């Protein structure tokens, strides 16, 4: 009986082993494979994420370009009623702002009031006119779609520039507090930094918003860790800035991007600030330039899918530069004396300026995409930040040229044109990145690019 019982137990164990499923194994996939197979290449979660991040540029544009209105030079002045100065009366007949330079401060006033702009309140005219460029320059150095809404806000606060800044500072604060919890970090970046659990949580959240679920046994594979052992961990601990600048090809590429970015930033922001040197109503000109951002985004998006990044960037920079140079040919006469300058402006010059700004906007947007594709994940954030600093450095110098343009508008357009064309030329030292894969490390990208160049030489 005991032998029969033991045989029965032994047989049940063997049967259970045959029937029981094999132990579960982890499903190891890369981020790209998870997105394609489970999350979806582009769903509601990705759309919402891009939308929330993109809308933040509204407030960046408002605070960046608010100086167009707050630092605008008043267009009209008058003698004070109780002033009987013959010099004041004779100067007022000219209507030119420069005519007040020889007058006593208590004999004249601005028609729009002393709080209408920084120039009016702080007396930044005559021998102090270049000081008007300092606030905008300091802002750009410090910060290194809202453009369209800016004229509407500025118009209603035109009698007090401080109210304009108060309104524009509250909007981004409220936006950041409300929507910060809904924006997540890049899963690719988290994975390269060794934070695989957080990367997986981000992908799970994206999948949930898209109405999908990830397998329970899913784990993420880090391509950069394959065959490198502890090297990948050491790379995570190293400073990404040092990694980029120590790599010769990446450092050369970064310097080239920064030079091109300096020129584009100088022209993109400078052309907008230089609107006041056109013979047109300031609010109308700014509104028209803001509208030109719309076709710039549409055209740029379409062309990014049809042409190479380098070709699109360089042609846009060339068009912006040529447009600035053409603005010199259509400039004529002195600046209008009255507040409403639309009747005296040159419509051809305004149209060419608008086209030039649209081209500069395309180049500005393409440069960001180009920079993302030029560098691998482990240094991509640093590379984009360096490009951004170069753009802001160019923008910080632009107000000085705009201030000089109040005396000679042709000078500012000439410099803008030359720098824009130079940025387009230097971009040809960068490689084309259209249809190229996104890499995770500098070593991986260097080896793959060398292999691609070798294959092209062999095929040729």
């Amino acid at each position: 009986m005991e032998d029969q019982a033991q045989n029965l137990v032994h047989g049940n164990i063997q049967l259970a082993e045959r029937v029981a499923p094999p132990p579960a194994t982890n499903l190891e996939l890369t981020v790209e494979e998870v997105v394609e197979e489970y999350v979806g290449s582009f769903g509601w979660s990705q759309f919402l994420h891009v939308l929330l991040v993109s809308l933040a540029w509204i407030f960046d544009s408002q605070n960046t370009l608010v100086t167009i209105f707050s630092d605008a030079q008043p267009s009209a002045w008058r003698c004070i009623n109780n002033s009987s100065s013959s010099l004041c009366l004779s100067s007022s007949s000219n209507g030119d702002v420069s005519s007040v330079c020889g007058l006593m401060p208590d004999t004249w006033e601005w028609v729009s009031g002393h709080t209408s702009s920084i120039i009016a309140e702080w007396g930044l005219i005559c021998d102090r006119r270049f000081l008007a460029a300092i606030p905008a320059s300091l802002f750009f150095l410090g910060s290194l779609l809202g453009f369209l809404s800016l004229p509407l806000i500025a118009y209603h606060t035109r009698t007090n520039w401080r109210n304009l800044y108060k309104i524009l500072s509250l909007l981004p604060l409220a936006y950041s507090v409300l929507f910060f919890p809904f924006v997540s970090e890049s899963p690719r970046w988290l994975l390269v930094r060794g934070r695989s659990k957080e990367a997986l949580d981000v992908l799970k959240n994206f999948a949930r918003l898209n109405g999908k679920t990830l397998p329970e046994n899913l784990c993420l594979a880090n391509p950069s860790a394959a065959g490198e052992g502890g090297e990948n961990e050491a790379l995570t601990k190293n400073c990404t800035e040092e990694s980029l600048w120590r790599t010769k090809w990446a450092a050369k590429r970064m310097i080239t991007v920064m030079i091109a970015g300096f020129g584009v930033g100088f022209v993109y922001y400078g052309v907008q600030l230089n609107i006041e040197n056109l013979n047109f109503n300031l609010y109308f000109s700014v509104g028209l330039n803001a509208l030109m951002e719309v076709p710039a985004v549409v055209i740029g998006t379409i062309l990014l899918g049809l042409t190479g990044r380098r070709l699109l960037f360089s042609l846009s920079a060339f068009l912006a530069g040529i447009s600035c140079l053409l603005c010199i040919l259509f400039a004529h006469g002195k600046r209008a004396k009255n507040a409403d300058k639309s009747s005296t402006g040159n419509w051809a010059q305004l149209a060419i300026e608008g086209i030039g700004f649209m081209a500069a906007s395309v180049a500005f947007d393409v440069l960001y995409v180009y920079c993302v594709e030029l560098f691998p994940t482990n240094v991509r954030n640093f590379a984009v930040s360096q490009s951004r600093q170069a753009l802001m450095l160019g923008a910080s110098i632009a107000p000085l040229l705009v201030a000089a343009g109040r005396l000679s508008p042709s000078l500012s357009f000439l410099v803008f044109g030359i720098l824009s064309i130079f940025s387009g030329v230097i971009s040809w030292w960068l490689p084309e990145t259209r249809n190229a894969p996104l890499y995770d490390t500098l070593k991986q990208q260097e080896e793959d690019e060398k292999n691609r160049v070798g294959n092209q030489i062999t095929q040729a």
Side-chain angles (χ1 to χ4, degrees):
M1 291 291 294
E2 292 181 359
D3 292 340
Q4 292 178 350
Q6 289 178 356
N7 291 335
L8 180 61
V9 171
H10 182 68
N12 290 337
I13 292 175
Q14 289 181 332
L15 180 62
E17 289 177 350
R18 289 195 300 267
V19 174
T25 58
N26 288 333
L27 177 62
E28 190 175 50
L29 299 174
T30 64
V31 173
E32 291 79 4
E33 292 170 338
V34 174
V35 172
E36 291 295 330
E37 296 181 24
Y38 297 101
V39 177
S41 58
F42 189 79
W44 172 249
S45 61
Q46 290 97 323
F47 173 77
L48 181 63
H49 199 270
V50 171
L51 178 64
L52 292 178
V53 174
S54 300
L55 287 178
W57 283 95
I58 292 176
F59 313 109
D60 178 84
S61 297
Q62 288 177 339
N63 286 277
T64 299
L65 302 171
V66 65
T67 55
I68 296 176
F69 300 99
S70 64
D71 296 6
Q73 180 168 286
S75 57
W77 63 276
R78 63 193 174 201
C79 294
I80 298 177
N81 293 334
N82 58 2
S83 174
S84 58
S85 170
S86 59
L87 180 60
C88 178
L89 295 175
S90 61
S91 298
S92 63
S93 62
N94 295 330
D96 195 346
V97 172
S98 61
S99 301
V100 304
C101 294
L103 301 179
M104 297 295 292
D106 57 347
T107 60
W108 65 278
E109 64 182 3
W110 298 110
V111 173
S112 55
H114 72 283
T115 61
S116 60
S117 74
I118 291 175
I119 291 179
E121 182 167 343
W122 295 347
L124 303 180
I125 57 174
C126 302
D127 58 340
R128 304 179 65 194
R129 61 180 176 274
F130 284 99
L131 295 177
I134 292 179
S137 296
L138 292 179
F139 173 83
F140 285 122
L141 289 173
S143 64
L144 285 172
L145 265 224
F147 192 11
L148 185 58
S149 64
L150 186 56
L152 302 177
I153 300 175
Y155 182 78
H156 294 289
T157 59
R158 60 189 181 278
T159 58
N160 194 316
W161 62 270
R162 285 187 173 85
N163 290 337
L164 179 59
Y165 276 96
K166 290 176 183 177
I167 294 174
L168 295 182
S169 62
L170 291 176
L171 294 175
L173 176 62
Y175 185 87
S176 300
V177 172
L178 288 175
F179 293 104
F180 180 79
F182 302 99
V183 179
S184 58
E185 186 56 80
S186 164
R188 288 175 57 91
W189 182 86
L190 290 171
L191 188 61
V192 169
R193 308 303 293 184
R195 297 156 63 178
S196 57
K197 185 179 182 302
E198 295 178 55
L200 188 58
D201 290 339
V202 172
L203 291 171
K204 286 180 178 178
N205 185 51
F206 280 5
R208 180 179 59 81
L209 292 175
N210 288 345
K212 301 180 180 181
T213 57
L214 301 184
E216 292 294 334
N217 61 335
L218 178 67
C219 65
L220 296 177
N222 188 349
S224 62
E228 297 180 9
E231 183 180 344
N232 185 65
E233 182 179 353
L235 178 62
T236 301
K237 296 180 181 179
N238 285 339
C239 180
T240 57
E241 293 92 329
E242 295 177 353
S243 299
L244 188 149
W245 293 120
R246 285 202 310 265
T247 307
K248 187 175 181 180
W249 67 268
K252 288 181 177 180
R253 187 174 296 183
M254 188 75 259
I255 292 173
T256 305
V257 170
M258 292 179 69
I259 294 174
F262 174 84
V264 169
F266 189 92
V267 176
Y268 176 76
Y269 288 107
V271 168
Q272 297 177 70
L273 298 174
N274 200 47
I275 289 177
E276 67 173 272
N277 292 327
L278 298 177
N279 251 3
F280 270 89
N281 179 276
L282 184 60
Y283 297 94
F284 174 79
S285 301
V286 173
L288 181 63
N289 262 23
L291 287 174
M292 297 303 291
E293 287 271 22
V294 177
V297 171
V298 174
I299 294 173
T301 302
I302 295 174
L303 292 180
L304 272 174
L306 300 176
T307 63
R309 280 68 168 129
R310 183 175 60 187
L311 177 63
L312 180 56
F313 175 82
S314 60
L315 289 182
S316 300
F318 291 154
L319 179 58
I322 293 172
S323 298
C324 289
L325 296 178
L326 288 177
C327 282
I328 301 175
L329 301 179
F330 287 93
H332 64 83
K334 295 183 178 180
R335 292 171 53 87
K337 288 16 178 226
N338 55 354
D340 184 10
K341 297 178 283 187
S342 59
S343 60
T344 62
N346 189 316
W347 285 95
Q349 185 189 39
L350 182 63
I352 294 174
E353 187 274 341
I355 294 173
F357 171 69
M358 182 181 68
S361 179
V362 173
F364 186 90
D365 295 338
V366 170
L367 184 62
Y368 273 104
V369 177
Y370 201 9
C371 185
V372 167
E373 297 177 347
L374 283 169
F375 299 94
T377 302
N378 68 322
V379 296
R380 186 171 295 131
N381 284 349
F382 174 70
V384 172
S385 70
Q386 292 295 295
S387 174
R388 171 75 174 176
Q389 289 182 33
L391 287 165
M392 291 300 101
L393 181 61
S396 67
I397 301 176
L400 299 174
L401 185 61
V402 173
R406 293 186 180 122
L407 296 178
S408 176
S410 298
L411 173 63
S412 57
F413 281 120
L414 177 63
V415 177
F416 288 142
I418 293 174
L419 263 179
S420 184
I421 294 174
F422 176 75
S423 297
V425 171
I426 200 172
S427 67
W428 282 94
W429 272 263
L430 296 170
E432 179 53 60
T433 59
R434 186 191 178 198
N435 297 326
L438 293 177
Y439 301 96
D440 291 317
T441 65
L442 287 166
K443 182 179 179 181
Q444 181 189 31
Q445 182 166 349
E446 182 178 11
E447 292 176 351
D448 191 78
E449 289 185 350
K450 284 182 178 179
N451 291 335
R452 281 198 297 163
V453 172
N455 293 336
Q456 291 175 356
I457 295 175
T458 303
Q459 293 174 359

